Amino acid sequence: MATHREMEIEPAPGMVEKKGGSLWFTHVLMIFGILVVFFPIWLAFVASTVTQPDIVRPPMPLMPGGHFIENYTRALFSGVNVPVATMLLNSLIMAVGIAVGKIIISLLSAFAIVYFKFPGQKTFFWMIFLTLMLPIEVRIVPTYEVVAGCRWLWHA
Amino acid sequence: MEKRVRFKGWLLPLCLVLPQLIISGVFFFYPAGQAIWQSLFIPDPFGLSSRFVGLGNFEFLFSDKYYLTSFLTTAIFSTLVTVVAMVPALFLAVMANRLIRGATTYRTLLIWPYAVAPAIAGVLWLFMFNTRVGIISWYLGQLGYDWNHVLNGGEAMGLVVVASAWGRISYNFLFFFAALQAVPRSVIEAAAIDGARFWRRFYTIVLPLLSPTTFFLLVVNIVYSFFETFGVIHTITSGGPQQTTTILVYKVFSDGFVGQDLGSSAAQSVVLLFVVGALTVVQFKFIEKKVHY
């Protein structure tokens, strides 16, 4: 609680938004927070620029090494089993396919439910909404069986 | 709602919702129904036949000490993840909100971890805490602390919690930051003139005004910690040691796929279904009433 005397002093101009130098402590806290949050990503980057022996002999360096181009070329074009470039392409195809498919299908059904009046409208809405409630992990085994039943898995 | 344009006819809208319904049916309602149906059977070890046991799977589950422990584990895990993901995020957002210079840089750097998928976050943190080559566990060793999350359940839980919450800090930070920007200046200035200092203003004005955002994030983070942390747990501990990090969702997977006990796994899915339903009701009925809109 502020005493009577302090109350007279405190609400001076610039009280709500301090400017310039008086914010140094906030900056320090912020930078500290960012260092902690960003550290794992930095470490991953450093690890990607050094050699295998550097990593497995603790402590690993905290500053990037000189193998950036070499490591990235190897990962992108030869990889361990599959080149990363191929995987990136696969991910892109999959992500774009899923995004486009999802948007088209949900756009159509949302349009139908909002702009039309037809029997079963409410039921359909709740049926679609309900799918949000039960994540894939919960019904993973039966869903796996459905896909396995399509025999897609056997044709790989 | 009422004054909106409405088109007539029922064949066209039906055709339009049909794709969505077919997909929901094949990948949601059929598997969910199948899960409920399977939970009443025990398949033989070779998956050739199954025997109807009624509620036997459930009776077995609720007398299974590991399953009951898994409930407790899940409760501890999701509480910790939510707290660890939300408190630093709020703190950082308040800090960022005070700063005008450099705020954009800070924000950009803070958003990065959100781009990391849970499974990769798991690998990253495992990399830092690996008992042999991990840099942090090595420095801890230099300080005289023997980090071993492979053997120590508490350490395993801590690592899984931090790895799960890490990416969410960015997400929560963005929402808190946006909400803080929306707090009216005039209210804060009025409080400042009344002599309220920073923390006082924070507790009495900013925090109540943030409560809708906090509530939303609470729901989202709890759901996240329940269902989307699978990748983290799988990469770091695989539910071990001694099932200390086996949350309910992970147990569905490990009993169904690894243990091949499909009946029990299905029964667990059904239990989870009720847990999700109950959580949703509780969150919206009880917590929302205390939220100041």
Side-chain angles (χ1 to χ4, degrees):
Chain A
M1 287 299 286
T3 63
H4 206 71
R5 181 148 178 79
E6 276 171 335
M7 281 169 69
E8 286 169 356
I9 301 165
E10 284 299 320
M15 212 226 115
V16 176
E17 285 166 332
K18 284 183 180 158
K19 300 237 158 48
S22 59
L23 279 174
W24 67 270
F25 187 62
T26 316
H27 275 286
V28 168
L29 283 177
M30 194 74 199
I31 290 167
F32 177 74
I34 285 171
L35 281 181
V36 172
V37 172
F38 200 73
F39 183 69
I41 292 177
W42 174 251
L43 205 67
F45 174 70
V46 169
S48 75
T49 60
V50 295
T51 55
Q52 173 81 5
D54 285 334
I55 295 173
V56 296
R57 199 179 329 111
M60 64 165 279
L62 285 174
M63 284 296 145
H67 297 264
F68 178 86
I69 296 171
E70 180 196 327
N71 284 346
Y72 278 81
T73 323
R74 235 184 80 198
L76 273 174
F77 302 111
S78 54
V80 178
N81 293 315
V82 187
V84 173
T86 315
M87 293 196 274
L88 278 176
L89 183 68
N90 288 343
S91 301
L92 184 73
I93 294 171
M94 205 174 112
V96 170
I98 290 173
V100 170
K102 255 174 132 166
I103 289 172
I104 290 176
I105 289 171
S106 50
L107 192 64
L108 288 179
S109 57
F111 178 74
I113 286 175
V114 171
Y115 284 104
F116 283 88
K117 198 152 185 64
F118 58 103
Q121 196 177 9
K122 277 266 162 62
T123 322
F124 292 151
F125 172 75
W126 284 110
M127 275 170 78
I128 294 165
F129 191 73
L130 199 71
T131 55
L132 279 176
M133 300 275 77
L134 197 61
I136 180 79
E137 286 85 355
V138 176
R139 57 206 153 83
I140 183 70
V141 175
T143 309
Y144 176 83
E145 282 181 349
V146 169
V147 181
C150 295
R151 300 197 156 264
W152 290 340
L153 290 177
W154 306 108
H155 288 275
Chain B
M1 195 84 178
E2 281 76 30
K3 288 190 177 176
R4 196 191 288 129
V5 184
R6 290 239 185 226
F7 299 114
K8 289 200 162 45
W10 56 271
L11 193 63
L12 182 62
L14 219 57
C15 292
L16 293 179
V17 284
L18 207 60
Q20 173 89 65
L21 286 182
I22 290 173
I23 289 191
S24 304
V26 172
F27 292 105
F28 183 82
F29 287 104
Y30 177 73
Q34 198 76 354
I36 295 173
W37 182 241
Q38 270 179 8
S39 68
L40 305 176
F41 289 86
I42 292 183
D44 71 47
F46 305 103
L48 298 173
S49 65
S50 51
R51 191 160 53 86
F52 183 80
V53 289
L55 295 176
N57 280 322
F58 293 95
E59 272 170 32
F60 178 74
L61 270 185
F62 286 103
S63 58
D64 181 9
K65 140 175 152 260
Y66 287 111
Y67 191 63
L68 297 176
T69 317
S70 178
F71 264 100
L72 187 66
T73 310
T74 311
I76 295 171
F77 176 75
S78 55
T79 313
L80 286 176
V81 168
T82 310
V83 170
V84 175
M86 281 176 74
V87 175
L90 179 60
F91 178 76
L92 288 170
V94 170
M95 291 296 135
N97 195 41
R98 292 185 82 186
L99 305 170
I100 298 150
R101 184 181 305 225
T104 322
T105 319
Y106 291 144
R107 216 170 49 209
T108 315
L109 283 172
L110 271 177
I111 295 167
W112 271 62
Y114 183 54
V116 178
I120 297 165
V123 174
L124 269 182
W125 282 85
L126 183 61
F127 179 58
M128 296 195 312
F129 281 94
N130 185 298
T131 46
R132 268 175 297 127
V133 303
I135 182 161
I136 293 182
S137 53
W138 189 83
Y139 279 114
L140 283 174
Q142 294 298 301
L143 293 173
Y145 184 82
D146 188 20
W147 175 275
N148 196 336
H149 65 263
V150 183
L151 295 176
N152 185 319
E155 286 171 2
M157 181 55 114
L159 184 55
V160 169
V161 165
V162 172
S164 308
W166 174 62
R168 299 302 283 191
I169 291 178
S170 316
Y171 180 86
N172 295 339
F173 168 80
L174 279 182
F175 276 85
F176 276 133
F177 188 68
L180 281 169
Q181 301 257 297
V183 171
R185 274 252 93 80
S186 53
V187 188
I188 304 219
E189 277 160 11
I193 289 168
D194 284 347
R197 293 197 185 170
F198 180 76
W199 286 109
R200 175 93 193 227
R201 292 202 300 268
F202 181 73
Y203 279 119
T204 53
I205 297 169
V206 177
L207 215 53
L209 283 172
L210 282 184
S211 59
T213 309
T214 313
F215 171 70
F216 165 76
L217 288 177
L218 204 63
V219 174
V220 170
N221 280 299
I222 289 176
V223 170
Y224 164 82
S225 62
F226 258 59
F227 297 110
E228 278 159 63
T229 49
F230 176 86
V232 176
I233 293 175
H234 195 53
T235 47
I236 298 184
T237 64
S238 299
Q242 289 177 329
Q243 308 217 1
T244 40
T245 52
T246 302
I247 62 167
L248 290 172
V249 169
Y250 197 81
K251 201 162 165 58
V252 170
F253 163 80
S254 65
D255 284 1
F257 277 96
V258 183
Q260 293 283 314
D261 188 351
L262 292 180
S264 171
S265 174
Q268 288 177 35
S269 300
V270 175
V271 172
L272 260 183
L273 201 158
F274 284 108
V275 170
V276 176
L279 261 183
T280 315
V281 171
V282 166
Q283 279 170 340
F284 281 90
K285 288 274 174 213
F286 298 102
I287 304 179
E288 202 180 18
K289 277 187 186 158
K290 300 204 168 163
V291 174
H292 176 285
Y293 279 103

